[in-house]
Amino acid sequence: MDRDEAIHLAPAIYQRLVDKRCDVRVTFVDGELFVAEIDSQQDPDAVTDWRLTSDPELPHRRAELPENLITLIRGLMANLELRFGAIDFVRTPEGKYVFL
């Protein structure tokens, strides 16, 4: 961490860096899933975290999820008794989805 002093008083959980093909944002609304694939790897400012880019043209496109992942997301939302949620994943170069 290059700014460790800025966060030393804040509780945090760190996740291992994952190689990615793209980022995936899933928005869950009343049982429906809206999936956006974000081409974060084309912008140097977005390679690690797509939210850090200032590029308004960062490509986003509709995407589909594997059925088993859809089932898991719906189960999570049901167990948490949530009707809305935004869930982020990394899709690896091998096509694996990693929950963030």
Side-chain angles (χ1 to χ4, degrees), residues 61-87:
R61 58 191 156 267
R62 283 186 178 184
E64 300 291 327
L65 295 175
E67 283 300 320
N68 65 324
L69 188 53
I70 292 170
T71 300
L72 290 170
I73 292 169
R74 286 193 171 128
L76 173 67
M77 299 305 284
N79 284 331
L80 295 174
E81 299 180 3
L82 295 175
R83 295 176 54 198
F84 172 83
I87 303 164

Short mmCIF file of all heavy atoms in Angstrom, two decimals, residues 61-87:
data_model
loop_
_atom_site.label_atom_id
_atom_site.label_comp_id
_atom_site.label_asym_id
_atom_site.label_seq_id
_atom_site.Cartn_x
_atom_site.Cartn_y
_atom_site.Cartn_z
N ARG A 61 -20.69 -2.66 -21.51
CA ARG A 61 -21.62 -3.35 -22.40
C ARG A 61 -22.40 -4.39 -21.59
O ARG A 61 -21.94 -4.86 -20.56
CB ARG A 61 -20.90 -3.97 -23.58
CG ARG A 61 -19.83 -4.94 -23.25
CD ARG A 61 -18.99 -5.30 -24.49
NE ARG A 61 -17.69 -5.76 -24.06
CZ ARG A 61 -16.60 -4.99 -23.91
NH1 ARG A 61 -16.65 -3.72 -24.19
NH2 ARG A 61 -15.48 -5.49 -23.49
N ARG A 62 -23.58 -4.72 -22.10
CA ARG A 62 -24.38 -5.77 -21.48
C ARG A 62 -23.63 -7.08 -21.51
O ARG A 62 -22.91 -7.37 -22.47
CB ARG A 62 -25.70 -5.94 -22.20
CG ARG A 62 -26.69 -4.91 -21.89
CD ARG A 62 -28.00 -5.28 -22.54
NE ARG A 62 -28.98 -4.27 -22.17
CZ ARG A 62 -30.23 -4.34 -22.51
NH1 ARG A 62 -30.67 -5.34 -23.24
NH2 ARG A 62 -31.06 -3.40 -22.13
N ALA A 63 -23.87 -7.89 -20.49
CA ALA A 63 -23.22 -9.20 -20.43
C ALA A 63 -24.18 -10.21 -19.83
O ALA A 63 -25.19 -9.84 -19.22
CB ALA A 63 -21.93 -9.11 -19.61
N GLU A 64 -23.86 -11.45 -20.01
CA GLU A 64 -24.63 -12.56 -19.42
C GLU A 64 -23.75 -13.26 -18.39
O GLU A 64 -22.53 -13.32 -18.55
CB GLU A 64 -25.02 -13.57 -20.52
CG GLU A 64 -25.87 -12.97 -21.62
CD GLU A 64 -27.26 -12.60 -21.15
OE1 GLU A 64 -27.80 -13.29 -20.27
OE2 GLU A 64 -27.79 -11.60 -21.66
N LEU A 65 -24.38 -13.79 -17.37
CA LEU A 65 -23.67 -14.56 -16.34
C LEU A 65 -23.99 -16.03 -16.49
O LEU A 65 -25.09 -16.39 -16.94
CB LEU A 65 -24.09 -14.11 -14.95
CG LEU A 65 -23.76 -12.68 -14.54
CD1 LEU A 65 -24.38 -12.39 -13.17
CD2 LEU A 65 -22.27 -12.46 -14.50
N PRO A 66 -23.09 -16.90 -16.03
CA PRO A 66 -23.42 -18.33 -15.99
C PRO A 66 -24.60 -18.57 -15.04
O PRO A 66 -24.75 -17.88 -14.03
CB PRO A 66 -22.15 -18.98 -15.45
CG PRO A 66 -21.07 -17.96 -15.56
CD PRO A 66 -21.74 -16.62 -15.57
N GLU A 67 -25.43 -19.55 -15.37
CA GLU A 67 -26.62 -19.83 -14.56
C GLU A 67 -26.28 -20.12 -13.10
O GLU A 67 -27.02 -19.69 -12.20
CB GLU A 67 -27.41 -21.00 -15.16
CG GLU A 67 -28.22 -20.62 -16.37
CD GLU A 67 -29.26 -19.54 -16.10
OE1 GLU A 67 -29.91 -19.56 -15.04
OE2 GLU A 67 -29.42 -18.66 -16.97
N ASN A 68 -25.18 -20.83 -12.85
CA ASN A 68 -24.84 -21.15 -11.45
C ASN A 68 -24.51 -19.88 -10.66
O ASN A 68 -24.84 -19.77 -9.48
CB ASN A 68 -23.69 -22.15 -11.36
CG ASN A 68 -22.38 -21.61 -11.91
OD1 ASN A 68 -22.35 -20.86 -12.89
ND2 ASN A 68 -21.29 -22.00 -11.29
N LEU A 69 -23.92 -18.88 -11.30
CA LEU A 69 -23.62 -17.62 -10.62
C LEU A 69 -24.90 -16.82 -10.37
O LEU A 69 -25.07 -16.23 -9.30
CB LEU A 69 -22.62 -16.80 -11.44
CG LEU A 69 -22.05 -15.56 -10.79
CD1 LEU A 69 -21.46 -15.86 -9.41
CD2 LEU A 69 -21.01 -14.92 -11.69
N ILE A 70 -25.81 -16.85 -11.31
CA ILE A 70 -27.12 -16.20 -11.11
C ILE A 70 -27.83 -16.80 -9.91
O ILE A 70 -28.37 -16.08 -9.06
CB ILE A 70 -27.97 -16.32 -12.39
CG1 ILE A 70 -27.37 -15.48 -13.52
CG2 ILE A 70 -29.43 -15.92 -12.12
CD1 ILE A 70 -27.99 -15.73 -14.88
N THR A 71 -27.81 -18.11 -9.81
CA THR A 71 -28.44 -18.80 -8.68
C THR A 71 -27.80 -18.38 -7.36
O THR A 71 -28.49 -18.12 -6.36
CB THR A 71 -28.35 -20.32 -8.87
OG1 THR A 71 -29.03 -20.68 -10.08
CG2 THR A 71 -28.95 -21.07 -7.70
N LEU A 72 -26.47 -18.30 -7.33
CA LEU A 72 -25.76 -17.90 -6.11
C LEU A 72 -26.09 -16.46 -5.72
O LEU A 72 -26.30 -16.16 -4.53
CB LEU A 72 -24.25 -18.07 -6.30
CG LEU A 72 -23.75 -19.51 -6.37
CD1 LEU A 72 -22.28 -19.54 -6.82
CD2 LEU A 72 -23.92 -20.20 -5.03
N ILE A 73 -26.15 -15.57 -6.68
CA ILE A 73 -26.46 -14.17 -6.39
C ILE A 73 -27.88 -14.06 -5.84
O ILE A 73 -28.11 -13.37 -4.84
CB ILE A 73 -26.28 -13.29 -7.64
CG1 ILE A 73 -24.80 -13.21 -8.02
CG2 ILE A 73 -26.89 -11.90 -7.43
CD1 ILE A 73 -24.54 -12.60 -9.38
N ARG A 74 -28.81 -14.72 -6.47
CA ARG A 74 -30.20 -14.67 -5.98
C ARG A 74 -30.30 -15.26 -4.57
O ARG A 74 -31.04 -14.75 -3.73
CB ARG A 74 -31.13 -15.39 -6.94
CG ARG A 74 -31.37 -14.58 -8.20
CD ARG A 74 -32.51 -15.13 -9.03
NE ARG A 74 -32.82 -14.20 -10.09
CZ ARG A 74 -32.91 -14.51 -11.37
NH1 ARG A 74 -32.74 -15.76 -11.76
NH2 ARG A 74 -33.19 -13.59 -12.27
N GLY A 75 -29.56 -16.33 -4.31
CA GLY A 75 -29.55 -16.92 -2.97
C GLY A 75 -28.96 -15.97 -1.94
O GLY A 75 -29.49 -15.84 -0.82
N LEU A 76 -27.88 -15.28 -2.30
CA LEU A 76 -27.27 -14.31 -1.39
C LEU A 76 -28.25 -13.19 -1.06
O LEU A 76 -28.45 -12.84 0.10
CB LEU A 76 -26.00 -13.72 -2.03
CG LEU A 76 -25.34 -12.57 -1.28
CD1 LEU A 76 -24.79 -13.04 0.05
CD2 LEU A 76 -24.25 -11.93 -2.13
N MET A 77 -28.89 -12.65 -2.08
CA MET A 77 -29.81 -11.55 -1.86
C MET A 77 -31.02 -11.99 -1.03
O MET A 77 -31.50 -11.24 -0.18
CB MET A 77 -30.24 -10.95 -3.20
CG MET A 77 -29.08 -10.39 -4.01
SD MET A 77 -28.08 -9.16 -3.14
CE MET A 77 -29.17 -7.76 -3.25
N ALA A 78 -31.49 -13.21 -1.27
CA ALA A 78 -32.61 -13.74 -0.47
C ALA A 78 -32.19 -13.93 0.98
O ALA A 78 -32.93 -13.54 1.90
CB ALA A 78 -33.10 -15.05 -1.07
N ASN A 79 -31.01 -14.49 1.20
CA ASN A 79 -30.54 -14.70 2.58
C ASN A 79 -30.32 -13.40 3.32
O ASN A 79 -30.53 -13.32 4.53
CB ASN A 79 -29.25 -15.52 2.58
CG ASN A 79 -29.49 -16.99 2.32
OD1 ASN A 79 -30.55 -17.52 2.65
ND2 ASN A 79 -28.53 -17.66 1.72
N LEU A 80 -29.90 -12.37 2.59
CA LEU A 80 -29.70 -11.05 3.21
C LEU A 80 -30.99 -10.23 3.27
O LEU A 80 -31.00 -9.15 3.83
CB LEU A 80 -28.62 -10.28 2.44
CG LEU A 80 -27.22 -10.87 2.49
CD1 LEU A 80 -26.29 -10.09 1.56
CD2 LEU A 80 -26.68 -10.88 3.92
N GLU A 81 -32.07 -10.78 2.68
CA GLU A 81 -33.37 -10.11 2.61
C GLU A 81 -33.26 -8.73 1.98
O GLU A 81 -33.84 -7.75 2.45
CB GLU A 81 -34.01 -10.05 3.99
CG GLU A 81 -34.27 -11.43 4.58
CD GLU A 81 -34.92 -11.39 5.94
OE1 GLU A 81 -35.24 -10.29 6.46
OE2 GLU A 81 -35.11 -12.47 6.52
N LEU A 82 -32.52 -8.68 0.87
CA LEU A 82 -32.32 -7.42 0.14
C LEU A 82 -33.09 -7.45 -1.18
O LEU A 82 -33.14 -8.46 -1.85
CB LEU A 82 -30.84 -7.19 -0.15
CG LEU A 82 -29.94 -6.98 1.07
CD1 LEU A 82 -28.49 -6.89 0.63
CD2 LEU A 82 -30.36 -5.73 1.83
N ARG A 83 -33.66 -6.32 -1.53
CA ARG A 83 -34.35 -6.19 -2.81
C ARG A 83 -33.50 -5.45 -3.84
O ARG A 83 -33.82 -5.42 -5.01
CB ARG A 83 -35.68 -5.46 -2.61
CG ARG A 83 -36.63 -6.28 -1.73
CD ARG A 83 -37.90 -5.56 -1.42
NE ARG A 83 -38.55 -5.12 -2.64
CZ ARG A 83 -39.49 -4.18 -2.68
NH1 ARG A 83 -39.87 -3.58 -1.58
NH2 ARG A 83 -40.04 -3.84 -3.83
N PHE A 84 -32.43 -4.81 -3.37
CA PHE A 84 -31.52 -4.09 -4.25
C PHE A 84 -30.09 -4.33 -3.80
O PHE A 84 -29.80 -4.39 -2.61
CB PHE A 84 -31.80 -2.58 -4.21
CG PHE A 84 -30.76 -1.80 -4.96
CD1 PHE A 84 -30.85 -1.63 -6.34
CD2 PHE A 84 -29.66 -1.27 -4.31
CE1 PHE A 84 -29.87 -0.95 -7.03
CE2 PHE A 84 -28.68 -0.57 -4.99
CZ PHE A 84 -28.79 -0.41 -6.37
N GLY A 85 -29.20 -4.47 -4.77
CA GLY A 85 -27.78 -4.57 -4.45
C GLY A 85 -26.93 -4.39 -5.70
O GLY A 85 -27.38 -4.67 -6.81
N ALA A 86 -25.73 -3.90 -5.49
CA ALA A 86 -24.74 -3.79 -6.57
C ALA A 86 -23.57 -4.67 -6.18
O ALA A 86 -23.00 -4.51 -5.10
CB ALA A 86 -24.30 -2.35 -6.76
N ILE A 87 -23.25 -5.63 -7.03
CA ILE A 87 -22.25 -6.65 -6.72
C ILE A 87 -21.18 -6.60 -7.79
O ILE A 87 -21.48 -6.60 -8.99
CB ILE A 87 -22.91 -8.05 -6.68
CG1 ILE A 87 -24.05 -8.05 -5.67
CG2 ILE A 87 -21.88 -9.12 -6.35
CD1 ILE A 87 -24.99 -9.22 -5.82
#
